[in-house]
Amino acid sequence: MLTQIALLTILGTLVAAAPSVQPIKRDSGTYANCRSFYADVYAETDQNVDLKSVIGGPPANQQVLVESSIQTFAAGSTVMQQIMNANKIPVNGTYNMWFEYCEPKNNNGNISGIFQTHHGLVGNAGYWNVQLDNSPNNSFAESVGRSAKPDGTNIVQISYEIAQSISIAQALRAGNLSDVGKFDKIVGVGHSYGSNILTGVASVGPQAFDALVLTGFTNNATQGPLGLAAFQSTIASVAYPARFASDANDYVITPSVSVDQTGFFHYSNYTNGSLDFFTNNKGEYTLGQQNSIAAPLQLKNNYTSPVFVVTGQYDAPYCAANCYITSSSSSNSNSTASAAGNGTSTSTQPSQLDTAKELYPSASTFQTYVVPDTAHGINYHTTAYEAYQRIVEFVKSANV
């Protein structure tokens, strides 16, 4: 059982070291020591798709990208089916990745495990160490955009990032990822696209993680106006030329603060400045990621370790902005889900988080927690600290 755990965040793939697995009283001060470093990560997969055969290479300009998006999301569109049926291509290589490693300040050399964290689209390594309003409560690192940029169409896809995630976990167990040490227990923590990555890892390399925490996630991703279409993907160098002038045109981003609010925030349950902070510090994502995000959900999954799903009540991309509206429940509710029980989801009422159980039929423990009054970007809301404590308590109770 973990007594102290570290956190390692990676740009593109995150690994995190968190403080004590015991709930921590949060008044003021800093609870974690953090440092960043680069490390080479080799990975290979034969499951990337030849996306260029369907959508072409990087769009020539923003108008071409907009038209491509319209064709993808139009009624009767077959684009996504074409992508699913496209030829598989092998991808391998070593890329220099940026990591942030955090460990409890008073660990007494007794760190026994690590959180390996993965951010979502628009996120970056900073998602797990948000510093807002001189408070540590939005930083997961306190509670427990610098890597290489390869081809954004045919290389940076979810299947390759799944392979990278497994390689990083293996390096952590072997003790050869830089000098952060050797870890016997690794808990995978994902947000949004990062949770999709971990779902793929659970299928392809189930021994990589001793438990999974999937945030901003269901098996019911929105296909309507609050889904990926609402991100209004814009060529990053067009939307924010001062930050992304050197990016190829298949690196894209959400274009405005209003789009960010729609996709990630629930008014007014966030601190002053958090929305602007998010917009000013968000990261780009690739067309390869955007168009491969659903691939892991099609894989057979026999993962047998504990799984915890934590999603905001008003998550737009994964719940169409109301996680309590299900096929068997059509009325709104303000109550929250419970995170107790073994083997099945034990919400006090049905929620869309329950759909994730379909992806993990063999999990030894499957629990959910609907974060009240919160949208997709959990870490930017005033409820973030409560969500972190639920995660810490889950890891503790799961006897990882």
Side-chain angles (χ1 to χ4, degrees):
M1 177 178 175
L2 296 180
T3 55
Q4 295 238 310
I5 188 166
L7 177 130
L8 175 66
T9 65
I10 318 150
L11 189 59
T13 299
L14 284 169
V15 179
S20 172
V21 175
Q22 300 291 336
I24 302 170
K25 186 176 186 295
R26 302 296 297 278
D27 292 321
S28 62
T30 301
Y31 295 87
N33 289 321
C34 299
R35 60 187 174 89
S36 61
F37 63 91
Y38 289 88
D40 289 337
V41 176
Y42 175 81
E44 61 182 52
T45 181
D46 59 4
Q47 293 301 305
N48 270 29
V49 298
D50 184 6
L51 186 57
K52 290 180 179 179
S53 69
V54 180
I55 68 170
N61 53 53
Q62 182 59 27
Q63 293 183 54
V64 173
L65 176 59
V66 169
E67 179 58 27
S68 176
S69 297
I70 293 171
Q71 294 301 318
T72 298
F73 297 111
S77 172
T78 63
V79 172
M80 294 310 298
Q81 191 60 47
Q82 292 176 51
I83 292 172
M84 295 292 289
N85 294 335
N87 291 332
K88 297 290 195 295
I89 56 175
V91 174
N92 64 78
T94 300
Y95 291 98
N96 195 239
M97 302 185 71
W98 185 90
F99 296 79
E100 183 178 47
Y101 174 81
C102 302
E103 62 184 24
K105 242 185 173 182
N106 300 314
N107 65 74
N108 299 317
N110 191 31
I111 296 175
S112 53
I114 192 163
F115 285 119
Q116 176 173 321
T117 68
H118 296 252
H119 62 73
L121 303 183
V122 191
N124 53 35
Y127 180 79
W128 299 104
N129 194 9
V130 178
Q131 302 291 334
L132 289 174
D133 302 323
N134 297 314
S135 168
N137 287 346
N138 293 82
S139 170
F140 184 56
E142 293 285 356
S143 285
V144 267
R146 298 169 177 86
S147 298
K149 294 182 179 179
D151 182 312
T153 304
N154 271 10
I155 292 180
V156 187
Q157 295 180 17
I158 200 163
S159 292
Y160 187 62
E161 290 183 282
I162 290 167
Q164 285 182 320
S165 176
I166 295 171
S167 292
I168 291 165
Q170 290 172 340
L172 289 171
R173 289 194 191 277
N176 56 23
L177 184 70
S178 186
D179 61 350
V180 298
K182 182 177 181 179
F183 299 91
D184 295 327
K185 298 291 184 180
I186 305 176
V187 177
V189 184
H191 174 253
S192 190
Y193 178 88
S195 294
N196 286 52
I197 288 176
L198 294 181
T199 297
V201 172
S203 297
V204 177
Q207 303 306 313
F209 298 113
D210 299 284
L212 293 177
V213 178
L214 311 174
T215 73
F217 182 75
T218 69
N219 189 25
N220 198 28
T222 305
Q223 299 300 316
L226 293 176
L228 273 175
F231 279 28
Q232 297 181 27
S233 294
T234 301
I235 295 171
S237 62
V238 172
Y240 300 97
R243 293 182 61 198
F244 304 113
S246 62
D247 279 11
N249 284 4
D250 48 7
Y251 280 76
V252 297
I253 200 167
T254 54
S256 71
V257 65
S258 295
V259 171
D260 295 337
Q261 180 183 346
T262 300
F264 293 87
F265 289 81
H266 178 62
Y267 183 83
S268 58
N269 185 30
Y270 42 90
T271 60
N272 293 334
S274 64
L275 179 55
D276 287 339
F277 181 91
F278 178 92
T279 296
N280 292 334
N281 292 278
K282 64 188 174 184
E284 70 274 56
Y285 52 98
T286 73
L287 293 180
Q289 292 173 316
Q290 175 180 297
N291 287 288
S292 64
I293 186 171
L297 309 184
Q298 317 302 319
L299 300 175
K300 184 177 180 181
N301 189 326
N302 292 317
Y303 187 73
T304 58
S305 296
V307 177
F308 190 27
V309 181
V310 180
T311 300
Q313 180 180 357
Y314 298 110
D315 190 297
Y318 281 82
C319 288
N322 193 333
C323 286
Y324 284 121
I325 297 297
T326 68
S327 58
S328 59
S329 171
S330 59
S331 61
N332 197 1
S333 171
N334 291 320
S335 62
T336 62
S338 167
N342 294 321
T344 61
S345 173
T346 57
S347 302
T348 55
Q349 69 180 95
S351 77
Q352 294 185 51
L353 281 64
D354 300 336
T355 62
K357 176 64 177 174
E358 303 163 4
L359 300 171
Y360 293 91
S362 302
S364 59
T365 298
F366 182 88
Q367 302 175 8
T368 67
Y369 174 59
V370 178
V371 189
D373 204 29
T374 301
H376 190 55
I378 297 170
N379 294 14
Y380 291 89
H381 291 75
T382 62
T383 43
Y385 180 65
E386 172 62 22
Y388 300 155
Q389 292 308 296
R390 296 279 185 151
I391 292 171
V392 168
E393 185 59 33
F394 167 78
V395 173
K396 176 185 173 185
S397 64
N399 293 318
V400 174

